[in-house]
Amino acid sequence: MTITPAMQQFYDLKEQVPDSLLFFRMWDFYELFWEDAHIAHRVLGISVTTRNKNAENPVPLAWIPYHAKAKYLPQLINAGYKVAIAEQVSDPKLKWLVKREIVRIVTPSTLELEWEEYSNVDNSNILLSITESNNWFGISYLDINSNNWYTWEFKQFDDLKTQLYKISPKEVILDKSLFWNTEIKDVLEKKYWLNIYYYENNKNTKQVLCNHFWVKNLIWFWIEDKQNSIDSAVLLLSYLSNNQKTDLKFLQKISYMSFDSFMNLDESTIYSLDLLYNLSTKSSTLWTLVWILNKTKTSAGNRLIREQIIKPLQSVDEINNRNSFVEEFYNNKMLLEAVREQLSYVADIDSILNRIALNRTNPRDLLNLKRSLQSVLEVFKLIDSKGTKKLKDIIKI
């Protein structure tokens, strides 16, 4: 069978991403070939035709207009597929073959980085990685909404299972050495229905992480002597960097997770108390505690209150500080309403900044960022002019 130069490009790129569907940009369309075309047909309902239909083995082909990516991409991602996007990176008006490259791979946890329309205000977009060495597990997770990045170590996998429901990851990265670990796979796939992907870790993980943060050691992050934590963090970083085709320098810190500050709520307790899910209504929103308490005006506030509900504080001092903050607004209803009005104009700033860092922003993002920052300044002005000294001290004005 004669292979055209364009199809040879496709085969070369597809070889780089065998576990992903490939959106192959051809002029004003994204084309999918072979099994990718049949998957697109099943998930999207689009037609499958053939390229070179008179050939002995015609190539199955499906396509979507490039401007319809915002419609079709989420459907494929939500169906459990990764999508590699191959764009034209040279001038298509030139006479020779247009150069194409995979510019990024879109996964469940990174879908929101594409456009603001994909923002999920009800849940965090969390990517979780797991490694294992010397019978210790290294765990790392990144909330792509807020760039909060954590890592810690467990002696037994059962200890992680108690935290999985609270973390609620969108996808899980396992080191390839765990491919045959059926216990982990059964918990992640059968109980939590999570997307699992495998990735091979770097060998000198500590140096990789030091280079990323531009430091000589990891003492500042409290993980200098925690090799399993380092391994899991680098597995996550490498996987995400490879998919996004960037060094992710905007991820500037990582924290070692300590559960000592929070009350330990296991999964059965969270279920029984209807904190995030109501067993009677079978709803993740209606008549749950978060549904009753969540009157927030921003995406960041929404995520924060959900986290605080499943991580109750144990420190009396921290509880009193939080109550003092709430009390100040409770006693000043006019200030409360004025602040809430300004917060209603605040977009998801963290997500916008991420898209800016990835050079994936648009004019509306910049306008929303401008309006959000103006509203934040107004909030501080309101508190400075109408708030008590105690409130100003709490927020350090």
Side-chain angles (χ1 to χ4, degrees), residues 185-238:
K185 292 169 66 175
D186 286 347
V187 170
L188 297 176
E189 291 181 331
K190 296 179 180 179
K191 184 175 182 179
Y192 293 104
W193 297 87
L194 291 171
N195 298 289
I196 299 177
Y197 306 114
Y198 294 91
Y199 199 74
E200 188 170 7
N201 213 351
N202 290 271
K203 293 182 179 180
N204 192 354
T205 53
K206 186 175 180 179
Q207 190 59 50
V208 170
L209 207 54
C210 286
N211 291 343
H212 175 78
F213 291 122
W214 289 81
V215 295
K216 293 183 178 180
N217 57 60
L218 300 171
I219 295 176
W220 178 257
F221 304 104
W222 300 94
I223 58 174
E224 172 71 15
D225 59 344
K226 295 180 170 58
Q227 188 61 49
N228 292 284
S229 288
I230 295 171
D231 289 345
S232 63
V234 172
L235 181 68
L236 186 151
L237 179 66
S238 301

Side-chain angles (χ1 to χ4, degrees), residues 23-41:
F23 272 21
F24 188 74
R25 180 69 178 270
M26 187 72 76
W27 304 104
D28 292 334
F29 302 96
Y30 287 111
E31 297 187 349
L32 300 97
F33 300 100
W34 295 105
E35 181 60 24
D36 291 1
H38 293 298
I39 292 174
H41 168 68

Side-chain angles (χ1 to χ4, degrees), residues 306-331:
R306 293 174 69 89
E307 181 179 11
Q308 291 179 342
I309 284 174
I310 60 176
K311 292 181 180 178
L313 294 173
Q314 294 194 117
S315 168
V316 174
D317 290 338
E318 290 187 37
I319 292 173
N320 287 334
N321 287 336
R322 182 181 292 177
N323 288 340
S324 296
F325 181 79
V326 174
E327 183 181 25
E328 288 297 310
F329 283 101
Y330 181 81
N331 292 331

Side-chain angles (χ1 to χ4, degrees), residues 246-247 249-250 351-361:
T246 181
D247 55 16
K249 288 300 182 184
F250 59 87
S351 294
I352 294 175
L353 293 178
N354 281 347
R355 289 193 291 274
I356 291 175
L358 293 169
N359 196 26
R360 209 170 296 162
T361 190

Side-chain angles (χ1 to χ4, degrees), residues 71-88:
K71 174 184 176 182
Y72 292 113
L73 184 59
Q75 297 180 49
L76 291 169
I77 298 300
N78 292 332
Y81 296 98
K82 295 194 296 184
V83 178
I85 300 176
E87 296 285 2
Q88 298 173 164

Side-chain angles (χ1 to χ4, degrees), residues 15 36 49 88-89 113 171 299 309:
E15 188 176 358
D36 291 1
T49 59
Q88 298 173 164
V89 295
L113 295 176
E171 60 183 300
S299 300
I309 284 174

